[in-house]
């Protein structure tokens, strides 16, 4: 997945969080002063905010802390976590199967828990002269990206955009040329919401067979910005940075605009693979991708913090719990401005309860 590149380690710059009132934080700032994490680059900007906020909270308590997070990629983050090289991992997908079994040794009999702390909406961003309000659905999107729909004035698109003058121009899909969690989530959405039209599968590499490739989220966004009649899938923040227009998604009950309210609704209505905690909170992603509510934006990317349920030494456990408590609460303030979807109360409470249950 693409990332907005920042420093590779936790930052001491807490100016953005100088207004934090430590009296309203449940973070104890106890345990070892320096935590380490590695993994998902998609959550790096959110992690920088979490760290800055946590530093500010603890400074007001008279304590000096830091969290060094290295955005080395989800797979590497999970590997480092299992090998006890970092205290927690960030990952675009839940730790599972053999790797989850290996984590039991690292967690000294405990289990690895997946806590979905950072959500990012994926935009369908386009460049179409004279059109600034476009509606698509999963079926038309699948057909655009697998080559079944090739013209902007195709009847299927026109049916979703009554009264809009669609040009008789050839569509240029722009896709990721590199392996990407964004691509994987986009294709999983199409698999779930348009299974009859998207039959080429999912995965980190694009499988649709059509389109021009560009590297990274910045690359596809810039390609659309400079390419008339083009469309791509990209994290909201990159669409905004490049002043791209974002399509609304029709889930079957009317067009849904991408905004903080509709992304929050999608997160709020997400289901879990298990019982929803306290404990592991691995998401059933089909409950997001397949959401048909007119109030929920379904094209979302979830990234996890992977932690031990037990097995940390006392100082590490206290620090992990303190930091993640802060991140799930006051750390969420202002995330929407960075293109993330802040946690709604229901998800925040589940994550906070799971963090508290770490032994």
């Amino acid at each position: 997945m693409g990332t907005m590149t920042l420093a590779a380690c936790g930052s001491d710059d807490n100016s953005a969080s100088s207004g934090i009132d430590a009296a309203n934080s449940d973070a104890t700032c106890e345990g070892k002063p320096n935590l380490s994490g590695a993994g998902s680059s998609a959550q790096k900007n959110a992690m920088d905010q979490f760290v800055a906020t946590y530093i500010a909270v603890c400074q007001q308590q008279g304590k000096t802390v830091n969290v060094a997070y290295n955005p080395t990629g989800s797979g590497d983050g999970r590997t480092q976590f299992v090998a006890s090289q970092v205290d927690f991992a960030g990952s675009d997908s839940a730790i599972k199967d053999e790797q989850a079994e290996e984590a039991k040794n690292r967690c000294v009999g405990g289990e690895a828990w997946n806590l979905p702390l950072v959500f990012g909406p994926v935009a369908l961003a386009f460049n179409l002269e004279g059109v600034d309000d476009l509606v698509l659905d999963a079926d038309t999107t699948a057909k655009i990206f697998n080559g079944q729909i090739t013209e902007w004035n195709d009847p299927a698109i026109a049916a979703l955009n009554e009264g809009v003058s669609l040009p008789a121009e050839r569509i240029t899909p722009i896709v990721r040329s590199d392996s990407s969690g964004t691509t994987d989530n986009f294709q999983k959405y199409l698999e779930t919401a348009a299974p009859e039209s998207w039959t080429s599968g999912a995965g980190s590499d694009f499988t649709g067979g059509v389109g021009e490739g560009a590297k990274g989220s910045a690359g596809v966004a810039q390609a659309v910005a400079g390419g008339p009649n083009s469309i791509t899938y990209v994290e909201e923040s990159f669409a905004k940075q490049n002043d791209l227009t974002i399509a609304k998604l029709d889930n079957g009950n009317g067009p849904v605009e991408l905004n903080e309210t509709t992304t929050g609704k999608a997160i709020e209505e997400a289901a879990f693979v298990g019982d929803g905690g306290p404990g592991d909170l691995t998401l059933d992603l089909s409950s997001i991708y397949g959401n048909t509510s007119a109030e929920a934006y379904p094209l979302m990317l979830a990234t996890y913090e992977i932690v031990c349920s037990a097995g940390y030494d006392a100082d590490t456990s206290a620090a992990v719990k303190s930091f993640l408590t802060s991140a799930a609460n006051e750390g969420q303030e202002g995330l929407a401005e960075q293109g993330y979807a802040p946690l709604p109360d229901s998800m925040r409470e589940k994550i906070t309860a799971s963090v508290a249950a770490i032994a």
Side-chain angles (χ1 to χ4, degrees):
M1 173 165 305
T3 178
M4 293 171 277
T5 304
L6 295 174
C9 296
S11 171
D12 289 325
D13 177 11
N14 63 333
S15 57
S17 303
S18 59
I20 293 293
D21 182 1
N24 292 323
S25 175
D26 289 327
T28 64
C29 300
E30 295 177 348
K32 69 179 185 181
N34 296 306
L35 282 174
S36 62
S40 169
S41 61
Q43 63 174 243
K44 180 59 174 70
N45 286 3
M47 188 60 66
D48 277 340
Q49 176 166 310
F50 297 159
V51 173
T53 299
Y54 185 55
I55 289 171
V57 165
C58 294
Q59 282 180 341
Q60 291 187 43
Q61 296 185 24
K63 299 177 181 178
T64 299
V65 299
N66 193 35
V67 182
Y69 183 80
N70 195 350
T72 55
S74 297
D76 183 70
R78 294 193 301 271
T79 298
Q80 289 196 50
F81 173 76
V82 169
S84 301
Q85 295 171 347
V86 291
D87 299 315
F88 67 93
S91 179
D92 299 343
S93 57
I95 193 169
K96 58 184 179 180
D97 301 332
E98 291 182 8
Q99 204 166 42
E101 286 298 313
E102 293 172 2
K104 290 182 180 179
N105 293 326
R106 183 260 193 270
C107 296
V108 196
E111 296 181 337
W113 285 351
N114 301 284
L115 306 180
L117 190 62
V118 181
F119 289 82
V122 177
L124 290 176
F126 64 94
N127 181 344
L128 195 56
E129 186 176 358
V131 178
D132 56 12
D133 189 3
L134 181 72
V135 178
L136 296 172
D137 60 13
D139 190 62
T140 57
T141 301
K143 290 177 179 177
I144 287 171
F145 282 90
N146 68 14
Q148 293 182 57
I149 291 177
T150 60
E151 303 288 332
W152 277 111
N153 64 346
D154 187 278
I157 300 177
L160 293 166
N161 294 274
E162 187 175 350
V164 177
S165 180
L166 296 167
E169 298 286 349
R170 189 167 183 84
I171 301 171
T172 302
I174 306 293
V175 304
R176 289 286 292 271
S177 60
D178 52 329
S179 293
S180 162
T182 310
T183 296
D184 191 23
N185 279 266
F186 175 63
Q187 294 183 140
K188 285 177 179 175
Y189 160 70
L190 296 178
E191 269 192 324
T192 300
E196 294 183 3
S197 297
W198 192 262
T199 58
S200 56
S204 298
D205 295 316
F206 181 71
T207 62
V210 300
E212 298 180 3
K215 186 174 181 179
S217 297
V220 295
Q222 290 164 7
V224 171
N229 308 312
S230 59
I231 184 171
T232 194
Y233 54 91
V234 68
E235 296 97 319
E236 180 190 17
S237 57
F238 288 92
K240 288 183 173 179
Q241 285 174 5
N242 288 272
D243 295 320
L244 300 180
T245 309
I246 297 173
K248 298 175 183 175
L249 278 175
D250 191 328
N251 299 341
N253 290 294
V256 181
E257 183 179 351
L258 195 172
N259 58 42
E260 187 173 342
T261 300
T262 59
T263 55
K265 186 69 171 176
I267 299 169
E268 186 177 277
E269 295 183 350
F272 300 94
V273 172
D275 60 9
D280 182 73
L281 295 177
T282 300
L283 294 166
D284 175 1
L285 293 175
S286 65
S287 67
I288 297 177
Y289 303 140
N291 194 321
T292 59
S293 168
E295 300 176 345
Y297 185 81
L299 187 43
M300 298 282 292
L301 180 154
T303 67
Y304 298 92
E305 309 313 322
I306 300 174
V307 299
C308 286
S309 63
Y312 289 123
D313 62 78
D315 280 347
T316 301
S317 177
V320 167
K321 293 169 72 170
S322 180
F323 170 61
L324 293 181
T325 296
S326 176
N329 291 278
E330 61 269 13
Q332 298 289 312
E333 296 175 15
L335 279 187
E337 298 170 8
Q338 299 191 49
Y340 296 103
L343 298 175
D345 287 347
S346 58
M347 183 65 75
R348 177 181 54 78
E349 290 166 1
K350 286 183 178 294
I351 291 173
T352 301
S354 290
V355 170
I358 296 172

